[in-house]
């Protein structure tokens, strides 16, 4: 729980902001966001206090999975602009003292990638072993029982070469064979291409999927599966994910990064805490930040949160830096999960915990999931498993900038619809609202970045009674007490073995800021506060 490094790097001190490019800002009025649009909005991000931007994929793609099916790793999809636009974006980001992180998708390519077209051309193709090809079982069925994340079998039959290929996601997303050294070198060269351009790091998509069991054993049945869940959950992916050899791959990726100055790697890994920690590496030579998705899935309960936060902190390896996420393009928005009032408390949690926070675009104005009519659903996860309400479209809707046409996102109809109330919930309206979500985020970010105790200080748990969550952030003589009421009802903090005195530096109820407190604090429902403690 203590600081283990004296020099903190930019990705430890800063705040990452995820942009879903299709939905951030449209500059050429085709209803889809693009790179020049992002450039137009950099001043907003800088004024908010963002220090690093992570872009979801912007590479050439048939868009079967909206960019996570890449047909050229070293290009830019015309929908988003040109390589010149990217170079300008990178230059503009760096001129503002910010960093740029790209999404890297190394587990699979598009079925239209030249590598796969060559691989499937014949069984004797030089690139046949770049992908995972297997014979049918004697009865003609798939090589094993593995399932695809987006529904159905993970094996697709190729009539021409009379073999199956493996795809963990869509059939249009064949998995690369990372046991092949040529595949490894090709993908490491992709990293070098972007690092040479000056990109500051990568968020590595589905890192834990990259190596599969060499024997291709059947996955065991999940005894806890329920019918409302995605069909993928029918099995436990014991052999199709998180294999021991994946760590050799992550280590080789880290070696590429370490050849450059202060570059970093985030790993997308949906695993329990104990397994997540292994992706830091035994000597901290794997991912800099294995993404911590704890706040995306846990019940919004103070006792459970306190327990899990402490478990996560306690499990970190020596030198391992924590990180926190409230939302992303794959998960329902925090406001839709816990409500508008508790989303303010969640913002305070995200920005006062120890470690690097990632903000999903629009969360800073309290954007909600937007209901998308069935005939407008575009996400393959929703289309392939109809009736289960698994589409990710609702959390990917356009950024709400102002009360103008299409919320200032585009002059044309956006690729996904906006909520009916965008005219009163948008950036421009909230910039004038001292009680709005955007103002709260701005104040939280400012306080966090000004105070070493909040952005690099120690984390110390504080014993509280539910529904209250409490902890200390400490650096030198500076101490902050964070108290968060995770319910709609009033609660009280009267510790038995802990005396304190201080001033409320920040509160979800701004009228209480500047108030002195001593030894006892009462909190309204949905209230969170950051108290600057007097030195004892």
């Amino acid at each position: 729980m203590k600081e283990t490094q004296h020099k903190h790097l930019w990705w430890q001190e800063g705040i990452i902001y995820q942009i879903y490019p299709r939905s951030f800002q449209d500059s050429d009025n085709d209803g889809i966001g693009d790179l020049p649009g992002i450039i137009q909005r950099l001043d907003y991000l800088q004024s908010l206090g963002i220090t690093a931007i992570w872009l979801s994929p912007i590479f050439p793609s048939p868009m079967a999975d909206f960019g996570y099916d890449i047909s050229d790793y070293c290009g830019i999809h015309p929908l988003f602009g040109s390589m010149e636009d990217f170079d300008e974006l990178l230059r503009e980001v760096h001129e503002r003292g910010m960093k740029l992180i790209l999404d890297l998708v190394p587990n699979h390519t598009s079925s239209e990638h030249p590598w796969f077209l060559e691989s499937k051309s014949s069984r004797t193709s030089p690139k046949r072993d770049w992908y995972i090809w297997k014979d049918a079982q004697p009865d003609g069925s798939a090589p094993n029982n593995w399932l695809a994340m987006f529904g159905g079998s993970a094996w697709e039959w190729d009539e021409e070469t009379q073999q199956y290929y493996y795809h963990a996601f869509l059939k249009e997303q064949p998995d690369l064979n990372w046991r092949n050294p040529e595949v490894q070198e090709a993908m490491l060269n992709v990293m070098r291409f972007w690092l040479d351009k000056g990109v500051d790091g990568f968020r590595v998509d589905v890192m834990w999927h990259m190596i599969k069991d060499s024997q291709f054993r059947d996955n065991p049945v999940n005894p806890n599966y329920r019918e409302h869940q995605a069909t993928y959950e029918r099995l436990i992916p014991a052999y199709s994910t998180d294999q021991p050899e994946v760590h050799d791959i992550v280590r080789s990726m880290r070696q590429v990064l370490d050849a450059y100055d202060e570059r970093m790697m985030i790993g997308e890994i949906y695993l329990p805490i104990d397994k997540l920690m292994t992706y830091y590496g035994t000597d901290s030579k794997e991912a800099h930040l294995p993404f911590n998705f704890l706040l995306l899935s846990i019940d919004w309960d103070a006792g459970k949160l306190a327990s899990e936060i402490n478990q996560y902190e306690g499990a970190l390896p020596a030198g391992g830096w924590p990180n926190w996420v409230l939302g992303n393009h794959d998960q329902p928005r925090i406001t839709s999960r816990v409500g508008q009032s508790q989303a303010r408390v969640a913002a305070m949690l995200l920005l006062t915990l120890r470690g690097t926070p990632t903000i999903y675009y629009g969360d800073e104005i309290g954007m909600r999931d937007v209901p998308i009519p069935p005939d407008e659903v575009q996400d393959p996860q929703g289309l392939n498993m109809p009736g289960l309400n698994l589409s990710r479209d609702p959390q990917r809707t356009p950024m709400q900038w102002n009360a103008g046409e299409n919320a200032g996102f585009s002059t044309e109809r956006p690729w996904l619809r906006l909520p009916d109330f965008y005219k009163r919930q948008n950036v421009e309206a909230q910039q004038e609202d001292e009680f709005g979500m955007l103002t709260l985020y701005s104040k939280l970010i400012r306080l966090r970045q000004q105070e070493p105790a909040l952005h690099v200080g120690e984390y110390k748990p504080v014993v509280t009674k539910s529904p209250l969550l409490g902890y200390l952030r400490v650096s030198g003589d500076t101490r902050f007490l964070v108290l968060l009421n995770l319910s709609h009802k009033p609660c009280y903090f009267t510790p038995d073995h802990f005396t304190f005195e201080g001033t409320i530096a920040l509160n979800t109820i701004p009228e209480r800021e500047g108030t002195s407190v001593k030894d006892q604090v009462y909190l309204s429902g949905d209230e969170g506060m950051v108290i600057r403690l007097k030195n004892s």
Side-chain angles (χ1 to χ4, degrees), residues 227-500:
E227 288 300 323
H228 69 273
Q229 293 176 292
T231 53
Y232 176 76
E233 306 291 339
R234 291 181 187 274
L235 303 178
I236 296 169
Y239 296 113
S240 52
T241 65
D242 193 34
Q243 299 304 295
E245 302 95 324
V246 75
H247 296 284
D248 296 330
I249 302 301
V250 180
R251 186 178 296 269
S252 66
M253 297 170 86
R254 172 66 175 266
Q255 288 171 352
V256 170
L257 287 157
D258 286 349
Y260 296 79
D261 187 40
E262 287 198 10
R263 311 299 171 91
M264 61 88 74
M265 176 167 57
I266 304 167
E268 185 197 23
I269 303 157
Y270 284 92
L271 288 173
I273 287 175
D274 58 333
K275 292 184 177 180
L276 179 69
M277 292 301 156
T278 65
Y279 286 81
Y280 282 102
T282 51
D283 51 2
S284 296
K285 287 297 182 183
E286 292 185 33
H288 295 89
L289 298 177
F291 250 150
N292 170 18
F293 296 129
L294 179 71
L295 301 181
L296 292 178
S297 57
I298 193 169
D299 292 341
W300 202 246
D301 172 86
K304 291 179 181 177
L305 268 173
S307 174
E308 292 288 334
I309 291 168
N310 294 338
Q311 183 186 346
Y312 174 78
E313 275 276 356
L316 285 163
W321 189 251
N323 67 95
W324 299 93
V325 185
L326 278 182
N328 62 35
H329 61 292
D330 288 329
Q331 304 294 331
R333 286 189 177 272
I334 183 65
T335 306
S336 291
R337 296 202 312 272
V338 303
Q340 197 83 34
S341 298
Q342 278 295 308
R344 295 172 64 84
V345 178
M348 188 167 282
L349 177 69
L350 175 71
L351 291 163
T352 59
L353 282 170
R354 187 175 83 98
T356 306
T358 296
I359 298 170
Y360 184 47
Y361 84 96
D363 279 358
E364 75 273 19
I365 59 168
M367 279 176 58
R368 305 172 58 116
D369 291 353
V370 177
I372 306 296
D375 62 342
E376 294 179 22
V377 170
Q378 302 194 41
D379 176 32
Q381 181 167 290
L383 292 171
N384 288 1
M385 292 178 277
L388 293 179
N389 196 25
L390 293 174
S391 171
R392 297 165 295 177
D393 292 336
Q395 58 263 32
R396 298 176 174 184
T397 56
M399 182 68 171
Q400 294 153 213
W401 293 106
N402 57 44
E405 184 183 14
N406 299 318
F409 166 74
S410 176
T411 59
E412 293 299 316
R413 181 184 176 183
W415 75 286
L416 285 175
R417 63 168 54 202
L418 290 148
D420 296 326
F421 50 81
Y422 78 79
K423 291 189 176 181
R424 54 187 168 86
Q425 186 185 40
N426 57 69
V427 170
E428 197 172 272
Q430 291 198 17
Q431 282 174 333
E432 308 300 321
D433 181 4
E434 62 178 310
F435 303 107
M437 185 75 86
L438 183 58
T439 298
L440 176 64
Y441 264 89
S442 299
K443 289 160 68 173
L444 276 165
I445 291 170
R446 195 177 313 119
L447 180 65
R448 182 188 187 279
Q449 298 305 88
Q450 287 171 353
E451 296 289 346
L454 290 174
H455 66 259
V456 294
E458 295 177 48
Y459 163 89
K460 294 183 177 181
V462 170
V463 176
T464 57
K465 294 177 182 177
S466 191
L468 195 61
L469 177 64
Y471 48 91
L472 290 167
R473 298 298 311 282
V474 180
S475 179
D477 294 332
T478 305
R479 295 184 305 151
F480 287 93
L481 171 62
V482 181
L483 296 174
L484 307 171
N485 183 354
L486 269 62
S487 79
H488 306 311
K489 297 179 180 179
C491 66
Y492 305 86
F493 180 60
T494 313
D496 296 328
H497 307 291
F498 174 48
T499 60
F500 66 93

Side-chain angles (χ1 to χ4, degrees), residues 69 104 124 134 152 165 176-177 195 258 306 308 315 395 465 524:
D69 51 317
L104 183 69
T124 58
K134 291 288 172 188
Y165 68 85
L176 284 162
N177 175 19
L195 291 167
D258 286 349
E308 292 288 334
Q395 58 263 32
K465 294 177 182 177
S524 297

